[in-house]
């Protein structure tokens, strides 16, 4: 049963039968000729992403693909009982069978052709018997694709392979039956270059069989490598829970995860995966989010805390109320982002596609020209024919078609494993040019939560007593500053009960704790009780406020007893992250709506020299624009709704995954962890992926540019040409797979 498209105008098709980048180009062109349709076909993922007018029938799109000579279908519904990597791949199995048969049959043919000592009487007839199954059956996928393309008036890389191998085989049959090659005791040595000779005495069975064998090997390993390259996405999709214990009527009922609905409460026992995004209703535990975020230390969570699906309950029993299920969960959104990134195309990929599109006809023209030149120069037909076949075989630009998509597959997949989500391949070009990185302060560089950072008792006052009494009365308040003090006090032990608690609007709180009437708040609240801080406390409070911190006065029993200092603290990893940005050649800039004193204190703490402070949310876009007008290429890291517009405006937007959905939607890259070092990892990974793509393209281009003239001059044996062409594809895929070893510096 096929699933419906994800959106009214976004349709995804699974494409079958593509054998090279030229195939993808042909399908793309045909689809884009339809009114209102914009299609992108990815050879590596074997998928087409189509933006079509609302109401268009997917069957119409499928028909266009099938008329072009390929198969198409809507993505099948997932089968939960089988992991994607365990499901049969009939195309891969067929390639393997054909490859094994071609190896068994081709190796003796190649050995006899290369070693005169093995050329016994009638060896050439045995070569024919072994070679024809290779050409007729093992090479059938090439011939079938070439014939399909010919019927549609097109030529692809399969055309080159089919024409080259059939021509080599046909010439050999001619020489065997009607020339002198079939004579008893005929021998000829294997040579690395073409020499002028009597064409009727030459056999090319080893070329036809050997080229087929090498190309099948290249295509098999290419197909298998593409499957491995997508393993990160498959692993991501498989991370979620398969069933869940839902509370219904006060009893636990275990149901498949698909039956869980928003608002349902479900039980998570120690060691179980959390089934969906939600909020803890009861219980406390440590949540291990390492598989999702890469964060190695479990995070304590309790009633009212949000939890993410696919993370593991490492501690006690939890009851969670589902807030997002199915395709709306963070895990599903991550998988969707990764898949979309792998399906898109970077500018470098579009260049490679354009080259592949006109490359095949040009190569066929060069081969025909080579044949005509050799014959016109008076060389034997065998020499002319061999040089032309070598041109056809060496020119297949498979490596060119694989250069970009395989690197994208591996790079984005590795990023997902590390908690870095690259929204699209276009992002890669942006990372190369970025020279300035703007950092939002609250929630990005800092924790975004107030924390007790200093306790300043008056002379003769016990620090622990000051903290215990102030913490007890602040515990009854919901104010963020009060909660920070209460949390800091509770770390030293249990807090006593409060009587006659009263909240004085805009000033502070007061009440009775252990028989003491305690007042905590602004100095104006103390003055209401005709109390003043002594000069030492007043100076300490002023010093803290000059540093951008919040200072709270504490008094009891008619006397000022001390000052508590609260501040938004810098994340422990932010300083290291800033150092990594500088090492990448980026200039960090701190951007905040807070006052300049606070901003400069935070900037000095993490090593940032440039500060833009006291800006309104709408002014953040203007700040980014000003930097761009100065000729800078700007990356922006943020987490809040007020950062969304600036993230979209920046040349490269990076959203903290701990932030709001609006910010994440506006960004180009999402960092699942709340660790700013992930931004440095993201930029390094994106740059490394782009570098790999460029390296792949260079070798693919260089290979063809260097090899075609050699083949045309008759300096390259067709069988060696086939081996080299297959190796170039395997080299490109292998080079891309090196991205799997990319390591985060944040762990």
């Amino acid at each position: 049963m096929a699933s419906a498209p994800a959106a009214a105008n976004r349709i995804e098709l699974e494409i079958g039968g593509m054998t090279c980048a030229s195939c993808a180009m042909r399908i793309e062109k045909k689809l884009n000729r339809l009114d209102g349709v914009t299609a992108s076909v990815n050879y590596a993922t074997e998928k087409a992403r189509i933006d079509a007018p609302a109401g268009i029938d997917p069957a119409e799109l499928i028909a266009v693909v099938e008329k072009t000579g390929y198969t198409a279908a809507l993505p099948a519904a997932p089968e939960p009982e089988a992991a994607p990597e365990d499901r049969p791949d009939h195309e891969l199995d067929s390639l393997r069978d054909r490859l094994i048969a071609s190896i068994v049959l081709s190796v003796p043919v190649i050995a006899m052709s290369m070693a005169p000592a093995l050329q016994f009487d009638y060896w050439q007839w045995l070569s024919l018997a072994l070679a024809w199954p290779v050409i007729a059956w093992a090479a059938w996928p090439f011939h079938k694709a070439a014939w399909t393309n010919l019927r549609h008036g097109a030529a692809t890389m399969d055309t080159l392979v089919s024409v080259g191998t059939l021509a080599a085989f046909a010439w050999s049959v001619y020489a065997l039956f009607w020339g002198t090659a079939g004579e008893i005791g005929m021998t000829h040595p294997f040579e690395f270059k073409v020499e002028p000779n009597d064409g009727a005495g030459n056999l090319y069975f080893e070329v036809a069989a050997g080229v087929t064998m090498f190309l099948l090997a290249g295509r098999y390993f290419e197909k298998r490598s593409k499957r491995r390259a997508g393993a990160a996405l498959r692993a991501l999709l498989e991370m979620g829970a398969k069933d869940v214990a839902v509370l219904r009527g006060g009893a636990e009922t275990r149901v498949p995860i698909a039956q869980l609905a928003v608002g349902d409460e479900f039980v998570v026992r120690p060691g179980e995966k959390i089934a969906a995004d939600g909020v803890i209703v009861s219980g406390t535990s440590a949540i291990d989010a390492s598989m999702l975020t890469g964060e190695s230390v479990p995070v304590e969570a309790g009633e009212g805390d949000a939890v993410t699906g696919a993370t593991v309950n490492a501690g006690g029993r939890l009851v969670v109320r589902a807030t997002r299920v199915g395709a709306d969960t963070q895990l599903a959104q991550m998988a969707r982002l990764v898949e979309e990134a792998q399906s898109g195309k970077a500018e470098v990929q579009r260049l490679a596609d354009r080259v592949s599109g006109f490359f095949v006809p040009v190569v066929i023209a060069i081969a025909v020209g080579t044949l005509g030149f050799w014959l016109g120069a008076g060389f034997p037909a065998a020499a002319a024919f061999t040089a032309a076949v070598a041109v056809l075989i060496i020119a297949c630009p498979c490596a060119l078609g694989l250069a970009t998509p395989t690197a994208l597959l591996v790079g984005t997949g590795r990023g997902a494993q590390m908690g870095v989500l690259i929204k699209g391949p276009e992002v890669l070009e942006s990372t190369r040019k970025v020279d300035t990185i703007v950092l939002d302060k609250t929630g990005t560089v800092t924790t975004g939560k107030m924390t007790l950072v200093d306790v300043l008792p008056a002379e003769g006052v016990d620090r622990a007593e000051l903290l215990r009494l102030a913490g007890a009365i602040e515990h009854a308040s919901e104010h963020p500053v009060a909660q920070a003090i209460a949390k800091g006090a509770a770390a030293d032990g249990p807090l006593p009960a409060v009587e006659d608690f009263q909240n004085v609007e805009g000033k502070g709180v007061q009440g009775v704790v252990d028989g003491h009437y305690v007042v905590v708040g602004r100095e104006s609240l103390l003055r209401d009780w005709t109390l003043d801080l002594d000069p030492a406390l007043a100076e300490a409070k002023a010093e803290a406020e000059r540093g951008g911190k919040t200072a709270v006065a504490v008094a009891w029993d008619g006397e000022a007893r001390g000052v508590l200092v609260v501040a938004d603290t810098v994340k422990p990893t932010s300083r290291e992250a800033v150092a990594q940005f500088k090492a990448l050649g980026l200039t960090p800039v701190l951007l905040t709506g807070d006052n300049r004193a606070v901003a400069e204190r935070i900037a000095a703490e993490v090593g940032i020299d440039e500060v833009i402070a006291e800006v309104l949310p709408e002014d953040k876009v203007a700040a980014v624009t000003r930097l761009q007008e100065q000729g800078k290429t700007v990356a922006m890291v943020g987490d809040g709704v007020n950062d969304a517009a600036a993230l979209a405006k920046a040349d490269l937007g990076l959203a903290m995954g701990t932030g709001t959905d609006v910010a994440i939607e506006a960004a180009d890259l999402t960092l699942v962890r709340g660790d700013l070092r992930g931004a440095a990892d993201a930029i390094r990974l994106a740059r490394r992926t782009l570098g790999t793509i460029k390296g792949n393209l260079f070798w693919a281009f260089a290979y063809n540019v260097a090899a075609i003239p050699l083949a045309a001059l008759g300096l390259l044996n067709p069988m060696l040409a086939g081996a080299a062409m297959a190796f170039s594809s395997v080299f490109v895929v292998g080079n891309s797979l090196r991205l799997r070893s990319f390591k985060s510096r944040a762990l």
Side-chain angles (χ1 to χ4, degrees), residues 33 44-45 118 169 214 246 257 291 334 397 405 443 452 457 488 551 652 706:
R33 285 176 186 166
T45 58
L118 298 177
F169 184 80
F214 284 124
V246 180
I257 190 67
M291 66 172 64
M334 285 174 62
L452 181 66
L652 178 68

Side-chain angles (χ1 to χ4, degrees), residues 191-206:
E191 295 177 340
F192 285 89
K193 61 187 180 64
V194 177
E195 294 287 352
N197 53 31
D198 180 9
N202 278 25
L203 296 178
Y204 295 102
F205 289 130
E206 81 281 5

Side-chain angles (χ1 to χ4, degrees), residues 167-247:
F169 184 80
W171 183 272
S172 300
V173 170
Y174 164 78
L176 202 57
F177 284 94
W178 293 281
T180 59
E183 295 177 357
I184 299 173
M186 189 280 290
T187 63
H188 68 70
F190 177 83
E191 295 177 340
F192 285 89
K193 61 187 180 64
V194 177
E195 294 287 352
N197 53 31
D198 180 9
N202 278 25
L203 296 178
Y204 295 102
F205 289 130
E206 81 281 5
V207 171
V211 165
T212 300
M213 179 182 72
F214 284 124
L215 293 178
L216 283 172
R219 190 158 290 181
Y220 172 74
F221 288 113
E222 168 194 322
K223 177 81 174 173
R224 200 176 72 166
S225 297
K226 287 196 299 186
R227 195 168 167 82
R228 286 175 60 202
L233 176 59
R234 289 196 297 273
L236 204 60
L237 292 167
E238 291 297 307
M239 275 169 42
K242 302 297 181 288
D243 53 30
V244 56
V246 180
L247 287 175

Side-chain angles (χ1 to χ4, degrees), residues 346-411:
E347 191 57 37
V348 284
Q349 170 67 20
R350 298 188 188 281
L351 171 64
D353 284 348
R354 286 195 296 272
V355 171
S356 296
F358 69 78
F359 194 82
V360 174
V362 169
V363 167
I364 292 176
I366 293 173
V368 171
T370 299
L371 181 65
F373 173 80
W374 279 67
L375 290 174
F379 287 97
F385 169 77
T386 305
V389 169
V391 169
L392 289 174
I393 293 167
I394 198 70
C396 294
C398 294
L400 194 61
L402 288 170
T404 299
T406 52
L408 280 175
L409 276 170
V410 182

